[in-house]
Amino acid sequence: MKKSMVVLAAASLVALTGCTNMNIFKDNPEPAPAEPQVDLNPQPMAPGMMSAGQIKQILSGKSWKWASPKNSGVTLYADDGSSLVEVTGKGTTTGKWSVKDGQLCESFAPAPFLPKGVPMTCQPFSGSGNTYKVGQATFTLA
């Protein structure tokens, strides 16, 4: 089953050639790093809360299996903030993601099973190792 998910994800990537900003292939030249931005009004983090940098490092360039009360699937979080989402039994869509201290923010493009898409929403991110919670969903490294 894992092999079929990889094949489906690869086929979806080929089908989504219009998403040229997805830099998921390491043999492509990396863009020049952006100038770091300094938050002039930082908010104190709650004890145990992960920084935005920690969350980005955990997710970037990896595929994560997820299960929520209503759906499950696999999401590939590309380094450039784009994502490819496979919802089990429903299909695939693309998305965008970003992080804030302690939160993962995601939006999803319209798809047959998601006619209006989903606007950017942020949810608490916690966990360690290869298992994390995002809102009510559990993420494990695929």
Side-chain angles (χ1 to χ4, degrees):
M1 176 154 172
K2 189 171 183 179
K3 184 176 178 181
S4 65
M5 289 174 57
V6 170
V7 170
L8 178 57
S12 296
L13 286 175
V14 171
L16 295 171
T17 56
C19 297
T20 58
N21 64 344
M22 291 184 77
N23 189 13
I24 61 171
F25 301 104
K26 294 298 180 189
D27 58 343
N28 286 347
E30 291 290 325
E35 289 292 319
Q37 295 183 2
V38 178
D39 186 353
L40 299 176
N41 199 8
Q43 301 296 316
M45 289 187 357
M49 181 185 293
M50 285 187 225
S51 71
Q54 289 171 312
I55 297 169
K56 187 170 184 174
Q57 183 177 13
I58 289 165
L59 296 175
S60 287
K62 299 179 186 101
S63 290
W64 291 87
K65 288 188 265 184
W66 53 269
S68 68
K70 294 183 179 181
N71 292 301
S72 64
V74 177
T75 300
L76 169 63
Y77 291 95
D79 295 333
D80 68 355
S82 61
S83 61
L84 177 62
V85 183
E86 177 189 357
V87 180
T88 305
K90 294 186 179 180
T92 61
T93 189
T94 58
K96 296 193 180 297
W97 68 281
S98 62
V99 292
K100 292 182 180 181
D101 288 339
Q103 295 186 14
L104 170 63
C105 304
E106 297 181 279
S107 65
F108 304 104
F113 62 93
L114 198 62
K116 294 182 180 181
V118 176
M120 187 68 73
T121 56
C122 300
Q123 297 188 78
F125 185 97
S126 62
S128 63
N130 289 336
T131 304
Y132 296 88
K133 290 287 281 182
V134 178
Q136 294 184 348
T138 302
F139 281 48
T140 55
L141 196 56

